[in-house]
mmCIF file of all heavy atoms in Angstrom:
data_model
loop_
_atom_site.group_PDB
_atom_site.id
_atom_site.type_symbol
_atom_site.label_atom_id
_atom_site.label_comp_id
_atom_site.label_asym_id
_atom_site.label_seq_id
_atom_site.Cartn_x
_atom_site.Cartn_y
_atom_site.Cartn_z
ATOM 1 N N HIS A 1 -11.422 6.037 2.781
ATOM 2 C CA HIS A 1 -11.906 5.786 4.138
ATOM 3 C C HIS A 1 -11.477 6.953 5.025
ATOM 4 O O HIS A 1 -10.295 7.347 5.011
ATOM 5 C CB HIS A 1 -11.295 4.509 4.716
ATOM 6 C CG HIS A 1 -11.460 3.300 3.852
ATOM 7 N ND1 HIS A 1 -12.618 2.547 3.824
ATOM 8 C CD2 HIS A 1 -10.606 2.704 2.982
ATOM 9 C CE1 HIS A 1 -12.468 1.538 2.988
ATOM 10 N NE2 HIS A 1 -11.257 1.605 2.460
ATOM 11 N N PHE A 2 -12.387 7.488 5.797
ATOM 12 C CA PHE A 2 -12.046 8.521 6.774
ATOM 13 C C PHE A 2 -11.884 7.861 8.137
ATOM 14 O O PHE A 2 -12.770 7.133 8.600
ATOM 15 C CB PHE A 2 -13.110 9.611 6.809
ATOM 16 C CG PHE A 2 -13.096 10.477 5.582
ATOM 17 C CD1 PHE A 2 -13.939 10.197 4.512
ATOM 18 C CD2 PHE A 2 -12.217 11.541 5.479
ATOM 19 C CE1 PHE A 2 -13.919 10.976 3.366
ATOM 20 C CE2 PHE A 2 -12.190 12.332 4.333
ATOM 21 C CZ PHE A 2 -13.042 12.048 3.272
ATOM 22 N N ILE A 3 -10.739 8.094 8.769
ATOM 23 C CA ILE A 3 -10.415 7.440 10.037
ATOM 24 C C ILE A 3 -9.889 8.482 11.017
ATOM 25 O O ILE A 3 -9.638 9.640 10.669
ATOM 26 C CB ILE A 3 -9.375 6.315 9.850
ATOM 27 C CG1 ILE A 3 -8.063 6.886 9.287
ATOM 28 C CG2 ILE A 3 -9.927 5.220 8.936
ATOM 29 C CD1 ILE A 3 -6.940 5.847 9.201
ATOM 30 N N THR A 4 -9.682 8.056 12.264
ATOM 31 C CA THR A 4 -9.172 8.954 13.296
ATOM 32 C C THR A 4 -7.645 8.957 13.286
ATOM 33 O O THR A 4 -7.004 8.079 12.706
ATOM 34 C CB THR A 4 -9.656 8.518 14.683
ATOM 35 O OG1 THR A 4 -9.072 7.240 14.994
ATOM 36 C CG2 THR A 4 -11.182 8.420 14.727
ATOM 37 N N GLU A 5 -7.071 9.949 13.973
ATOM 38 C CA GLU A 5 -5.614 9.994 14.110
ATOM 39 C C GLU A 5 -5.095 8.757 14.833
ATOM 40 O O GLU A 5 -4.022 8.238 14.513
ATOM 41 C CB GLU A 5 -5.202 11.258 14.878
ATOM 42 C CG GLU A 5 -5.339 12.542 14.097
ATOM 43 C CD GLU A 5 -4.812 13.729 14.873
ATOM 44 O OE1 GLU A 5 -3.590 13.991 14.794
ATOM 45 O OE2 GLU A 5 -5.625 14.383 15.569
ATOM 46 N N GLU A 6 -5.854 8.303 15.817
ATOM 47 C CA GLU A 6 -5.442 7.122 16.579
ATOM 48 C C GLU A 6 -5.417 5.880 15.680
ATOM 49 O O GLU A 6 -4.483 5.064 15.755
ATOM 50 C CB GLU A 6 -6.390 6.899 17.762
ATOM 51 C CG GLU A 6 -6.319 7.976 18.851
ATOM 52 C CD GLU A 6 -6.968 9.290 18.456
ATOM 53 O OE1 GLU A 6 -7.823 9.285 17.526
ATOM 54 O OE2 GLU A 6 -6.608 10.322 19.045
ATOM 55 N N GLU A 7 -6.425 5.735 14.831
ATOM 56 C CA GLU A 7 -6.447 4.603 13.897
ATOM 57 C C GLU A 7 -5.296 4.685 12.903
ATOM 58 O O GLU A 7 -4.689 3.661 12.555
ATOM 59 C CB GLU A 7 -7.776 4.573 13.151
ATOM 60 C CG GLU A 7 -8.962 4.161 14.021
ATOM 61 C CD GLU A 7 -10.277 4.316 13.287
ATOM 62 O OE1 GLU A 7 -10.508 5.378 12.656
ATOM 63 O OE2 GLU A 7 -11.090 3.377 13.343
ATOM 64 N N MET A 8 -4.979 5.895 12.458
ATOM 65 C CA MET A 8 -3.864 6.070 11.520
ATOM 66 C C MET A 8 -2.553 5.625 12.153
ATOM 67 O O MET A 8 -1.766 4.873 11.549
ATOM 68 C CB MET A 8 -3.765 7.540 11.083
ATOM 69 C CG MET A 8 -2.650 7.815 10.085
ATOM 70 S SD MET A 8 -2.955 7.081 8.459
ATOM 71 C CE MET A 8 -4.149 8.241 7.772
ATOM 72 N N ALA A 9 -2.318 6.066 13.376
ATOM 73 C CA ALA A 9 -1.067 5.721 14.056
ATOM 74 C C ALA A 9 -0.971 4.232 14.334
ATOM 75 O O ALA A 9 0.100 3.620 14.198
ATOM 76 C CB ALA A 9 -0.954 6.513 15.357
ATOM 77 N N LYS A 10 -2.087 3.617 14.700
ATOM 78 C CA LYS A 10 -2.080 2.216 15.088
ATOM 79 C C LYS A 10 -2.017 1.272 13.890
ATOM 80 O O LYS A 10 -1.285 0.269 13.908
ATOM 81 C CB LYS A 10 -3.336 1.907 15.918
ATOM 82 C CG LYS A 10 -3.430 0.462 16.389
ATOM 83 C CD LYS A 10 -4.702 0.236 17.208
ATOM 84 C CE LYS A 10 -4.819 -1.218 17.659
ATOM 85 N NZ LYS A 10 -6.049 -1.465 18.439
ATOM 86 N N GLU A 11 -2.762 1.587 12.832
ATOM 87 C CA GLU A 11 -2.936 0.638 11.738
ATOM 88 C C GLU A 11 -2.157 0.987 10.474
ATOM 89 O O GLU A 11 -1.995 0.133 9.597
ATOM 90 C CB GLU A 11 -4.426 0.527 11.400
ATOM 91 C CG GLU A 11 -5.266 0.030 12.578
ATOM 92 C CD GLU A 11 -6.759 0.046 12.285
ATOM 93 O OE1 GLU A 11 -7.111 0.163 11.085
ATOM 94 O OE2 GLU A 11 -7.561 -0.059 13.227
ATOM 95 N N HIS A 12 -1.678 2.219 10.369
ATOM 96 C CA HIS A 12 -1.033 2.638 9.124
ATOM 97 C C HIS A 12 0.275 3.392 9.395
ATOM 98 O O HIS A 12 0.643 4.305 8.659
ATOM 99 C CB HIS A 12 -1.984 3.513 8.297
ATOM 100 C CG HIS A 12 -3.306 2.852 8.038
ATOM 101 N ND1 HIS A 12 -3.478 1.866 7.089
ATOM 102 C CD2 HIS A 12 -4.511 3.005 8.645
ATOM 103 C CE1 HIS A 12 -4.743 1.464 7.107
ATOM 104 N NE2 HIS A 12 -5.390 2.135 8.033
ATOM 105 N N GLY A 13 0.978 2.996 10.446
ATOM 106 C CA GLY A 13 2.207 3.692 10.812
ATOM 107 C C GLY A 13 3.401 3.313 9.954
ATOM 108 O O GLY A 13 4.349 4.080 9.823
ATOM 109 N N GLY A 14 3.384 2.130 9.358
ATOM 110 C CA GLY A 14 4.498 1.680 8.531
ATOM 111 C C GLY A 14 4.387 2.177 7.103
ATOM 112 O O GLY A 14 3.361 2.712 6.685
ATOM 113 N N LEU A 15 5.474 1.987 6.347
ATOM 114 C CA LEU A 15 5.494 2.437 4.955
ATOM 115 C C LEU A 15 6.029 1.333 4.040
ATOM 116 O O LEU A 15 7.027 1.499 3.345
ATOM 117 C CB LEU A 15 6.340 3.706 4.816
ATOM 118 C CG LEU A 15 5.777 4.954 5.499
ATOM 119 C CD1 LEU A 15 6.819 6.060 5.553
ATOM 120 C CD2 LEU A 15 4.533 5.449 4.753
ATOM 121 N N PRO A 16 5.355 0.180 4.023
ATOM 122 C CA PRO A 16 5.792 -0.908 3.149
ATOM 123 C C PRO A 16 5.406 -0.636 1.692
ATOM 124 O O PRO A 16 4.504 0.168 1.414
ATOM 125 C CB PRO A 16 5.020 -2.109 3.689
ATOM 126 C CG PRO A 16 3.734 -1.505 4.175
ATOM 127 C CD PRO A 16 4.136 -0.174 4.769
ATOM 128 N N HIS A 17 6.085 -1.266 0.779
ATOM 129 C CA HIS A 17 5.690 -1.197 -0.631
ATOM 130 C C HIS A 17 6.407 -2.301 -1.399
ATOM 131 O O HIS A 17 7.056 -3.156 -0.818
ATOM 132 C CB HIS A 17 5.981 0.171 -1.244
ATOM 133 C CG HIS A 17 4.939 0.629 -2.211
ATOM 134 N ND1 HIS A 17 4.308 -0.227 -3.099
ATOM 135 C CD2 HIS A 17 4.413 1.855 -2.456
ATOM 136 C CE1 HIS A 17 3.436 0.448 -3.827
ATOM 137 N NE2 HIS A 17 3.464 1.708 -3.452
ATOM 138 N N GLY A 18 6.282 -2.274 -2.708
ATOM 139 C CA GLY A 18 6.901 -3.273 -3.558
ATOM 140 C C GLY A 18 6.212 -3.336 -4.890
ATOM 141 O O GLY A 18 5.458 -2.438 -5.275
ATOM 142 N N GLY A 19 6.472 -4.420 -5.603
ATOM 143 C CA GLY A 19 5.852 -4.587 -6.902
ATOM 144 C C GLY A 19 6.760 -5.361 -7.830
ATOM 145 O O GLY A 19 7.785 -5.913 -7.417
ATOM 146 N N CYS A 20 6.379 -5.412 -9.101
ATOM 147 C CA CYS A 20 7.176 -6.166 -10.057
ATOM 148 C C CYS A 20 7.038 -5.590 -11.458
ATOM 149 O O CYS A 20 6.039 -4.971 -11.810
ATOM 150 C CB CYS A 20 6.765 -7.641 -10.058
ATOM 151 S SG CYS A 20 5.041 -7.951 -10.495
ATOM 152 N N VAL A 21 8.095 -5.789 -12.235
ATOM 153 C CA VAL A 21 8.114 -5.484 -13.662
ATOM 154 C C VAL A 21 8.209 -6.813 -14.396
ATOM 155 O O VAL A 21 9.086 -7.629 -14.102
ATOM 156 C CB VAL A 21 9.313 -4.600 -14.037
ATOM 157 C CG1 VAL A 21 9.430 -4.465 -15.556
ATOM 158 C CG2 VAL A 21 9.187 -3.226 -13.413
ATOM 159 N N ILE A 22 7.306 -7.042 -15.319
ATOM 160 C CA ILE A 22 7.287 -8.289 -16.076
ATOM 161 C C ILE A 22 7.301 -7.960 -17.568
ATOM 162 O O ILE A 22 6.571 -7.069 -18.025
ATOM 163 C CB ILE A 22 6.030 -9.126 -15.754
ATOM 164 C CG1 ILE A 22 5.929 -9.405 -14.250
ATOM 165 C CG2 ILE A 22 6.044 -10.449 -16.535
ATOM 166 C CD1 ILE A 22 4.623 -10.063 -13.833
ATOM 167 N N ARG A 23 8.163 -8.671 -18.310
ATOM 168 C CA ARG A 23 8.078 -8.609 -19.773
ATOM 169 C C ARG A 23 7.992 -10.031 -20.303
ATOM 170 O O ARG A 23 8.781 -10.897 -19.940
ATOM 171 C CB ARG A 23 9.262 -7.894 -20.407
ATOM 172 C CG ARG A 23 9.101 -7.773 -21.944
ATOM 173 C CD ARG A 23 10.054 -6.775 -22.553
ATOM 174 N NE ARG A 23 9.954 -6.701 -24.004
ATOM 175 C CZ ARG A 23 9.068 -5.956 -24.688
ATOM 176 N NH1 ARG A 23 8.198 -5.216 -24.021
ATOM 177 N NH2 ARG A 23 9.054 -5.944 -25.999
ATOM 178 N N THR A 24 7.001 -10.240 -21.121
ATOM 179 C CA THR A 24 6.873 -11.520 -21.801
ATOM 180 C C THR A 24 7.285 -11.322 -23.249
ATOM 181 O O THR A 24 7.027 -10.264 -23.842
ATOM 182 C CB THR A 24 5.430 -12.045 -21.735
ATOM 183 O OG1 THR A 24 4.553 -11.080 -22.347
ATOM 184 C CG2 THR A 24 4.999 -12.249 -20.292
ATOM 185 N N GLY A 25 7.956 -12.306 -23.824
ATOM 186 C CA GLY A 25 8.427 -12.137 -25.194
ATOM 187 C C GLY A 25 8.675 -13.445 -25.905
ATOM 188 O O GLY A 25 8.685 -14.512 -25.293
ATOM 189 N N LYS A 26 8.890 -13.326 -27.204
ATOM 190 C CA LYS A 26 9.124 -14.482 -28.067
ATOM 191 C C LYS A 26 10.492 -14.364 -28.737
ATOM 192 O O LYS A 26 10.942 -13.267 -29.087
ATOM 193 C CB LYS A 26 8.060 -14.559 -29.168
ATOM 194 C CG LYS A 26 6.620 -14.700 -28.672
ATOM 195 C CD LYS A 26 6.316 -16.112 -28.239
ATOM 196 C CE LYS A 26 4.825 -16.294 -27.944
ATOM 197 N NZ LYS A 26 4.498 -17.683 -27.562
ATOM 198 N N THR A 27 11.140 -15.526 -28.929
ATOM 199 C CA THR A 27 12.351 -15.587 -29.740
ATOM 200 C C THR A 27 12.223 -16.764 -30.714
ATOM 201 O O THR A 27 11.315 -17.593 -30.581
ATOM 202 C CB THR A 27 13.618 -15.786 -28.880
ATOM 203 O OG1 THR A 27 13.514 -17.027 -28.173
ATOM 204 C CG2 THR A 27 13.807 -14.651 -27.896
#
C-alpha cells in the first residue's frame, strides 16, 4: 500500500510484534 507521511505517522507510528513457537509431539 502506498500512503502519505501523515498516514504513516498517524496509523503506523507504533512497533508492536509477537508470535509463537509450537512443537507437537508423541511419547
Side-chain angles (χ1 to χ4, degrees):
H1 307 278
F2 289 95
I3 61 175
T4 66
E5 287 185 86
E6 293 74 21
E7 289 173 313
M8 181 69 77
K10 180 180 179 181
E11 299 175 15
H12 306 283
L15 293 168
H17 217 321
C20 60
V21 172
I22 304 172
R23 183 165 177 84
T24 59
K26 300 282 188 178
T27 61

